[in-house]
Amino acid sequence: MMKQRLSMLPVLFAAATISVVGCSAGGSSPSPGPTPAPTPTPTPTPPPATSPTLQVVPATFDFGKVTTSNRPAPLEVTIRNSGNAALNVSAISFLAPADPSFMLNTSLGTKPCATVSPTLAAGDSCTVQVAFQPPATTGSFASTLQIRSNDPTSPNFGLPIQGASEAISALTVKVNQVDAFPCTNPTTNPLTTAYVSVIDQGGYPVLGLQSGAFSVAQGLPPALLPIVSASFVGSVYQNAAIAALLDHSKSLMDQPVAFAEMKTGFNNLIAGLKAGDTAEVIKFATEYQVVQAFTTDKNLLQAAIAAPFSMGTGTRLYDTVYKAVDDTAMQPASFRKAVILATDGVQELPPSAPPAVQNIDTVIANAKSKNVPIFTIGIGAAINATDLGRMATETGGLYYQANASQNLATIYQQLSSLLYENQYVLSFNRAVVGAATVQSPITITARSGTLIGSSSKDIVTCP
């Protein structure tokens, strides 16, 4: 759209004082006119005050619950000068007594400060990172990162940071993929391979399980199948097809910290794609748009994440997810597939918008029929955890919740682990049952001490 530039034309007005001269009957001299008021001297406008203004994002942070021996993604702290004079930071440090569970690094982040005493020009910023590694003991830990500067209104800013350590108390099993024999010759080649993730209540991988910790059952009612082998692999070199869905509705964009963390998290996830992996980027508000179709080019994907997007203020949630499932299902059959959705999970459309075509039930049915798991990340101040949890649980994905004080980077780190790392590979002979090709559930159970977790995945049985 061409913008018109308007010029303001000054207009000069001349003022004249008109004296009315009155004549008396006796021919007296005219009366003098009123004396003009003196022109006031204009008060000079004082020059604008110059002052640095310290801004720290986030203002508080909670690493959440970290299970024993695990390490969450570090916190990135942005120090910004939003004033109009140089900001001189004299010190960045933890208040004494400093908790050794928290560690400061000035050389990491998006734009490292590189020192504990940086100088920032007006509008400039830099980053530091805080890592959390709790000791083997369980409990809660807290510290305060203090930033001292020449900001006259906030010379000593304190950023409260906390986290907790707890023992593993629950197991979740995810059957990520099943490679089965074709039905052309099932009796002579019944070997089936399943890739399985075992995670704890904090979303961290549970390592060190042996063959005896697993069991496999097939059918309804389930019949146990003998496990031929079980092994652990640190990396799974199988390509993935990922649809990244970013909520750009008003409810999310009104929360700038959560919105920025969502984009940063997806950017890091794309950066971690392996050679040959493919992904697409879909953004949605009142309408959705595939801003980048499936490609292996990371630069195109990251540019799509960073690009501005404006298609209303509402949230067309289910139509967007349905489209992403369809797109992902069309990728090569051998690829690991996942739809990753970041949203508050509330579908809201203005009255003027076309009505939604899909709902949560049709989305789940579509994902299950096409074997595409949906991983949901609840972000923002008001999260519809019920629907986001259903979409994830019923399609074989996982639900994560991150309010404004939790570490989204850890969630994306754990998602990468599920897609590429820390997999148990189980081989077993699939049963041949029935007289026709049908869907039959495979249930895999994992045990660690008294803890038990299981998950099922439908596979094709052969007659």
Side-chain angles (χ1 to χ4, degrees), residues 273-329:
L273 293 179
K274 312 300 182 185
D277 289 348
T278 184
E280 76 170 354
V281 176
I282 303 179
K283 295 180 178 179
F284 62 98
T286 302
E287 301 295 338
Y288 70 79
Q289 182 181 13
V290 180
V291 293
Q292 177 56 59
F294 270 99
T295 178
T296 59
D297 190 326
K298 295 182 185 181
N299 292 330
L300 290 178
L301 292 164
Q302 291 175 326
I305 292 171
F309 179 82
S310 179
M311 294 191 74
T313 60
T315 310
R316 187 173 294 274
L317 179 62
Y318 300 118
D319 290 354
T320 306
V321 182
Y322 197 97
K323 166 65 174 173
V325 169
D326 281 351
D327 289 355
T328 307

Side-chain angles (χ1 to χ4, degrees), residues 60 81 152 164-165 193 204 243 288 295 404 413 428 453:
T60 183
N81 179 8
S165 174
T193 301
Y204 296 96
Y288 70 79
T295 178
Q413 174 181 287
F428 53 92

Side-chain angles (χ1 to χ4, degrees), residues 45 51 67 76 142 157 181 186 230 242 263-264 304 309 312 320 387 396 415 435:
T45 302
S51 174
T67 45
E76 179 171 295
F157 179 88
F181 59 88
I242 298 171
K263 295 177 71 173
T264 299
F309 179 82
T320 306
D387 284 4
L415 275 169

Side-chain angles (χ1 to χ4, degrees), residues 50 61 84 120 130 156 170 190 211 224 231 249 261 311 324 358 387 412 427 447 455:
T50 58
F61 193 77
N84 53 11
L120 299 176
V130 176
N156 295 291
S211 176
L224 285 177
S231 61
S249 62
E261 286 185 346
M311 294 191 74
Q358 308 299 336
D387 284 4
Y412 290 103
S427 296
R447 293 174 173 79
S455 179

Side-chain angles (χ1 to χ4, degrees), residues 88-385:
N88 299 317
V89 177
S90 57
I92 306 172
S93 62
F94 291 109
L95 285 179
D99 190 319
S101 302
F102 301 96
M103 292 151 282
L104 173 68
N105 192 323
T106 61
S107 301
L108 297 174
T110 305
K111 189 179 180 183
C113 295
T115 174
V116 294
S117 54
T119 297
L120 299 176
D124 199 6
S125 65
C126 68
T127 57
V128 300
Q129 281 191 356
V130 176
F132 176 48
Q133 180 58 66
T137 56
T138 60
S140 299
F141 306 87
S143 190
T144 299
L145 184 68
Q146 187 181 62
I147 302 170
R148 293 161 55 183
S149 72
N150 63 333
D151 179 348
T153 60
S154 183
N156 295 291
F157 179 88
L159 166 58
I161 301 174
Q162 62 182 3
S165 174
E166 63 180 34
I168 297 175
S169 59
L171 297 183
T172 297
V173 174
K174 284 297 169 186
V175 182
N176 299 314
Q177 181 177 324
V178 177
D179 295 337
F181 59 88
C183 283
T184 54
N185 196 9
T187 56
T188 59
N189 186 22
L191 192 66
T192 303
T193 301
Y195 296 86
V196 179
S197 296
V198 183
I199 58 177
D200 61 28
Q201 75 274 16
Y204 296 96
V206 177
L207 310 179
L209 299 181
Q210 303 301 313
S211 176
F214 295 94
S215 61
V216 179
Q218 180 180 341
L220 291 173
L224 285 177
L225 302 178
I227 295 178
V228 176
S229 65
S231 61
F232 175 80
V233 292
S235 298
V236 178
Y237 297 103
Q238 182 155 2
N239 288 127
I242 298 171
L245 280 58
L246 289 76
D247 188 340
H248 279 60
S249 62
K250 185 177 186 298
S251 60
L252 253 294
M253 295 187 73
D254 282 347
Q255 302 174 69
V257 174
F259 184 74
E261 286 185 346
M262 174 186 70
K263 295 177 71 173
T264 299
F266 271 115
N267 194 66
N268 292 339
L269 186 70
I270 295 300
L273 293 179
K274 312 300 182 185
D277 289 348
T278 184
E280 76 170 354
V281 176
I282 303 179
K283 295 180 178 179
F284 62 98
T286 302
E287 301 295 338
Y288 70 79
Q289 182 181 13
V290 180
V291 293
Q292 177 56 59
F294 270 99
T295 178
T296 59
D297 190 326
K298 295 182 185 181
N299 292 330
L300 290 178
L301 292 164
Q302 291 175 326
I305 292 171
F309 179 82
S310 179
M311 294 191 74
T313 60
T315 310
R316 187 173 294 274
L317 179 62
Y318 300 118
D319 290 354
T320 306
V321 182
Y322 197 97
K323 166 65 174 173
V325 169
D326 281 351
D327 289 355
T328 307
M330 294 175 64
Q331 301 311 301
S334 61
F335 277 38
R336 298 275 304 281
K337 298 178 175 68
V339 168
I340 302 177
L341 164 69
T343 177
D344 57 14
V346 180
Q347 172 148 298
E348 293 178 329
L349 294 174
S352 59
V357 177
Q358 308 299 336
N359 57 50
I360 186 171
D361 294 317
T362 61
V363 166
I364 291 172
N366 189 41
K368 290 175 67 175
S369 69
K370 294 174 178 171
N371 201 23
V372 176
I374 302 171
F375 294 85
T376 57
I377 305 170
I379 58 176
I383 300 172
N384 181 3

Side-chain angles (χ1 to χ4, degrees), residues 33-77:
T35 302
T39 302
T41 303
T43 303
T45 302
T50 58
S51 174
T53 302
L54 173 68
Q55 183 183 13
V56 180
V57 177
T60 183
F61 193 77
D62 185 357
F63 279 98
K65 296 177 180 179
V66 180
T67 45
T68 306
S69 76
N70 286 303
R71 183 187 294 267
L75 160 67
E76 179 171 295
V77 180

Side-chain angles (χ1 to χ4, degrees), residues 403-423:
N403 59 30
S405 67
Q406 290 178 320
N407 196 347
L408 270 173
T410 297
I411 291 174
Y412 290 103
Q413 174 181 287
Q414 292 171 347
L415 275 169
S416 295
S417 175
L418 281 173
L419 291 171
Y420 299 112
E421 303 167 354
N422 303 322
Q423 307 275 299

